[in-house]
Amino acid sequence: MYGRIENAKHPFYGFDFVHTELSNEQGWSPPEFAAFVSSIIESGTPPSEMPAVRARLKELGLQPYDCLSPALMDAISTHVAKASGVLKA
């Protein structure tokens, strides 16, 4: 239910993300927003698809949030994805 950024080259190295919405137990909060949406770029989603991803999340009632502006978050994730070889430079 949590994940730590362990890649020392990642801009958020050392951060822990808690995902209570993934719990199978009763009482945890349901999904209410989508945070760090840009991180899907790091797994190969083209940066050009991000506006559509954010629009779909909004359609589902999940407000997409990034800790910086969406454009800056996309730029950070694009840099990380290119550096790791997930996206071609």
Side-chain angles (χ1 to χ4, degrees), residues 2-87:
Y2 77 93
R4 173 169 288 161
I5 304 297
E6 296 181 354
N7 178 350
K9 294 181 181 179
H10 194 281
F12 298 136
Y13 172 68
F15 279 23
D16 290 325
F17 296 96
V18 179
H19 298 281
T20 59
E21 73 278 2
L22 299 178
S23 176
N24 292 328
E25 298 176 15
Q26 295 288 346
W28 290 100
S29 61
E32 296 175 347
F33 65 94
F36 304 105
V37 177
S38 301
S39 65
I40 66 171
I41 293 170
E42 296 171 35
S43 63
T45 300
S48 60
E49 292 183 16
M50 294 309 298
V53 169
R54 288 185 178 95
R56 179 65 179 135
L57 288 168
K58 288 179 183 179
E59 287 174 10
L60 295 171
L62 296 172
Q63 180 63 38
Y65 287 102
D66 294 300
C67 66
L68 302 171
S69 74
L72 287 175
M73 292 299 294
D74 291 355
I76 290 169
S77 290
T78 298
H79 173 81
V80 170
K82 286 180 179 178
S84 69
V86 172
L87 288 177

